[in-house]
Amino acid sequence: METKLRQRGGRENRRRLCATQAGRRSQPRSAVRGAPAAPHVAVGGCEAASHRLPAGGRAGRRPLRPAGALAGSDGGCSQRPGSGGRAARGRGGRGGVKRRLLPFLCCAAASSPPPLPGRGESCAGSGEAAAPSSRPAMAIRKKSNKNPPVLSHEFIVQNHADIVSCMAMIFLLGLMFEITAKAAVIFVTLQYNVTIPATEEQSAETISLYHYGIKDLATIFFYMLVAIIIHAIIQEYVLDKINRKMHFSKTKHSKFNESGQLSAFYLFSCVWGTSILVSENYISDPTSLWRDYPHTLIPFQMKFFYILQLAYWFHAFPELYFQKTKKEDIFRQIVYIGLYLFHIAGAYLLNLTHLGLVLLVLHYFVEFLFHISRLFYFSDERYQKGFSLWAVLFVLGRLLTLILSVLTFGFGLARAENQQLNFSTGNFNILAVRISVLASICLAQAFMMWKFINFQLRRWREHSSSQPQLVKKKFVTAKGKTSRKERVNFKHIFQCHRVKIH
């Protein structure tokens, strides 16, 4: 038995000696000369280390390896028993390089380890089946289609400006061909023109005046398409760029877009309407608002102004869909769009174009000031002077609107000679029509004034609720601070107390 034990011990010593010699040859020169050994690197359960013999150099002092290590328990990275020494003796330092690279190669394939040939073991070398990897397998990423399907909801919303531009181009191309020119002219140009021959008082040869008819609906439809295109241009090239820079919230984003679009339209309408008032001398002579009624024949500029006003407010209905307006805001939008269309169309159909133009310019100027003030408020919340000026002008605008309406219907048209209803001549100067029109104007002004008062009361409540908090903060800060006299008194008392103690 003793001889057998000695033989086994000799075999084990030889194995350890071969392993240490192979490790020593695989080490770099810096490790042999006494440089610090490289740290252990553990990658996926496999260790790569440069071993170094202790000061005695005897292999017996090293602890024995576990039994699984010789069979490939280092993640499948170790060699068969005794093979490391033979490889090191036969190939020099190349065996050590391979031995350092094998752990990394094994651990790179650790996610799906193939069984070792002839052993039936996994890369873990434990003799059992390898556990599935905790890292989930990478799924094939589907290609995301940025372009929505044709004629879908998102497609129409994203490309509505291009679709409407193509529709408008069809009418313009129709003017180029003789077959379609007669139909296309109805959509593009103004209809129902009347040529008045020259008189001695007028220097021009002829004058072209216009009246309304059913064909104006086609012209309104075409310019409604133009309004949608201009709306999209302002939104994409002006408002969206400002929104990206300012980083507004969702509520501010929608209100900023609304104020930006309306301020551009109000400014354009105010400038154009004022130029018509000045050229036709409606401002210098207020009696022209009711004199020579009915105003069935109007100049080109005035008719085109009314056509564009109706087209713009009709285009606001599809814009509720294109701009994805919130459900809680749709009713409010429909109400004020309907009020604009009702009053503009009423003035156009009842031949009250002179009074309607004056009231529109007055109202648009006040609304333009409000939306410009709101744009500045969104950029800087400290800016509120514009709202104060708007509040004063809003009240004055309502009063001036009521005064002009009462003068026109209560004094001017009520004293006219012809007060008979006649559809052929366009005369609607009867008592029932005058009372109805005046009542509608007064109700509209009262409704706007009621909304204005509620708005001001809400602002006043918010301002008053924030004031006590500011006063409380100031009071707390003032109470926490001590005055200069108190500090001097405390210092004097402290010094006296020190003198008494000493």
Side-chain angles (χ1 to χ4, degrees):
M1 289 293 291
E2 293 178 359
T3 57
K4 288 182 180 181
L5 290 172
R6 288 174 183 173
Q7 288 176 0
R8 289 181 183 176
R11 290 174 187 173
E12 290 177 357
N13 289 332
R14 287 195 209 104
R15 288 176 186 173
R16 294 194 203 101
L17 184 59
C18 292
T20 53
Q21 288 177 356
R24 185 181 293 179
R25 290 178 182 177
S26 64
Q27 287 178 353
R29 294 181 180 179
S30 60
V32 177
R33 290 176 182 174
H40 292 271
V41 180
V43 182
C46 299
E47 278 188 314
S50 58
H51 299 287
R52 196 179 163 200
L53 282 174
R58 294 183 61 183
R61 296 183 182 178
R62 298 193 58 161
L64 290 174
R65 267 187 171 186
L70 297 174
S73 62
D74 291 334
C77 305
S78 61
Q79 298 176 357
R80 293 184 179 180
S83 62
R86 286 195 297 270
R89 286 195 295 271
R91 298 178 184 174
R94 288 183 293 176
V97 175
K98 288 184 178 180
R99 193 173 181 183
R100 286 198 301 270
L101 290 175
L102 277 172
F104 296 97
L105 296 175
C106 291
C107 296
S111 59
S112 59
L116 293 175
R119 290 179 180 270
E121 296 178 353
S122 64
C123 188
S126 61
E128 299 177 358
S133 175
S134 61
R135 184 173 57 187
M138 292 182 66
I140 298 173
R141 187 176 295 175
K142 295 182 180 180
K143 294 182 179 179
S144 59
N145 295 325
K146 294 183 179 179
N147 296 325
V150 181
L151 298 180
S152 64
H153 170 73
E154 291 295 330
F155 179 84
I156 294 174
V157 171
Q158 291 180 9
N159 305 292
H160 72 276
D162 298 330
I163 296 170
V164 173
S165 299
C166 294
M167 294 174 64
M169 286 299 296
I170 292 173
F171 296 109
L172 294 177
L173 290 174
L175 296 173
M176 301 175 62
F177 304 98
E178 186 177 358
I179 300 174
T180 58
K182 292 182 180 180
V185 165
I186 299 174
F187 290 89
V188 178
T189 61
L190 300 182
Q191 302 298 310
Y192 304 107
N193 60 322
V194 178
T195 302
I196 298 177
T199 59
E200 296 180 356
E201 298 177 356
Q202 298 173 349
S203 59
E205 296 181 356
T206 58
I207 299 174
S208 293
L209 299 176
Y210 294 82
H211 60 91
Y212 64 85
I214 194 66
K215 294 181 181 179
D216 290 340
L217 295 176
T219 311
I220 291 171
F221 175 75
F222 174 77
Y223 286 101
M224 182 185 74
L225 301 180
V226 176
I228 293 174
I229 298 169
I230 296 174
H231 187 111
I233 291 172
I234 296 173
Q235 183 68 41
E236 183 175 356
Y237 294 100
V238 180
L239 299 179
D240 286 345
K241 291 183 178 180
I242 298 174
N243 284 324
R244 293 191 197 101
K245 292 181 180 179
M246 302 301 294
H247 303 288
F248 291 129
S249 61
K250 289 184 179 180
T251 54
K252 283 188 176 182
H253 185 273
S254 61
K255 290 181 180 179
F256 183 84
N257 291 337
E258 179 187 356
S259 295
Q261 296 287 347
L262 289 175
S263 59
F265 170 71
Y266 289 147
L267 178 62
F268 172 74
S269 299
C270 283
V271 173
W272 191 12
T274 304
S275 66
I276 296 173
L277 292 176
V278 172
S279 62
E280 298 295 331
N281 296 323
Y282 294 157
I283 298 176
S284 60
D285 187 10
T287 59
S288 61
L289 298 178
W290 58 83
R291 190 178 63 243
D292 299 332
Y293 181 84
H295 306 135
T296 53
L297 297 177
I298 55 178
F300 172 82
Q301 291 290 333
M302 185 173 289
K303 179 168 183 177
F304 197 31
F305 178 83
Y306 273 94
I307 292 292
L308 289 184
Q309 293 297 313
L310 294 171
Y312 181 86
W313 291 111
F314 272 116
H315 111 282
F317 288 114
E319 285 295 339
L320 297 177
Y321 171 75
F322 295 145
Q323 299 297 325
K324 297 181 180 180
T325 307
K326 296 179 181 180
K327 292 182 179 180
E328 55 269 19
D329 294 337
I330 289 177
F331 180 75
R332 177 181 63 84
Q333 299 268 359
I334 290 175
V335 166
Y336 83 77
I337 291 170
L339 286 174
Y340 275 113
L341 286 174
F342 177 76
H343 287 88
I344 295 171
Y348 186 65
L349 295 175
L350 295 177
N351 296 318
L352 296 169
T353 52
H354 295 184
L355 177 64
L357 180 62
V358 174
L359 297 183
L360 272 179
V361 171
L362 179 62
H363 177 73
Y364 282 169
F365 176 74
V366 177
E367 292 297 309
F368 168 73
L369 183 61
F370 169 74
H371 288 287
I372 282 292
S373 301
R374 192 158 75 162
L375 290 177
F376 283 109
Y377 175 76
F378 288 149
S379 61
D380 186 3
E381 294 187 355
R382 293 175 297 179
Y383 181 84
Q384 295 187 0
K385 295 180 180 179
F387 291 111
S388 303
L389 180 60
W390 164 76
V392 175
L393 292 179
F394 184 87
V395 177
L396 293 177
R398 304 286 75 79
L399 291 175
L400 189 58
T401 300
L402 291 174
I403 290 170
L404 291 175
S405 300
V406 170
L407 284 175
T408 303
F409 295 103
F411 295 94
L413 295 177
R415 295 178 181 180
E417 297 179 357
N418 188 6
Q419 296 189 9
Q420 295 180 356
L421 182 63
N422 192 348
F423 291 99
S424 60
T425 59
N427 186 13
F428 300 95
N429 187 14
I430 58 175
L431 181 62
V433 174
R434 291 198 303 269
I435 293 175
S436 300
V437 174
L438 186 60
S440 66
I441 293 174
C442 293
L443 287 175
Q445 304 307 308
F447 174 75
M448 288 188 287
M449 200 67 192
W450 177 68
K451 298 285 287 185
F452 171 77
I453 292 171
N454 287 335
F455 173 74
Q456 294 296 331
L457 287 175
R458 187 169 62 251
R459 283 188 63 195
W460 179 74
R461 287 170 186 170
E462 292 175 356
H463 182 70
S464 61
S465 62
S466 62
Q467 283 295 326
Q469 296 179 359
L470 296 175
V471 172
K472 188 176 180 180
K473 289 181 180 179
K474 291 180 180 179
F475 178 73
V476 169
T477 54
K479 188 176 180 181
K481 293 181 180 179
T482 57
S483 63
R484 187 176 180 182
K485 292 182 179 180
E486 291 177 352
R487 286 197 296 259
V488 171
N489 293 332
F490 287 146
K491 189 175 180 180
H492 179 69
I493 292 168
F494 181 71
Q495 289 177 355
C496 294
H497 185 65
R498 287 181 64 186
V499 169
K500 289 180 181 179
I501 292 173
H502 289 296

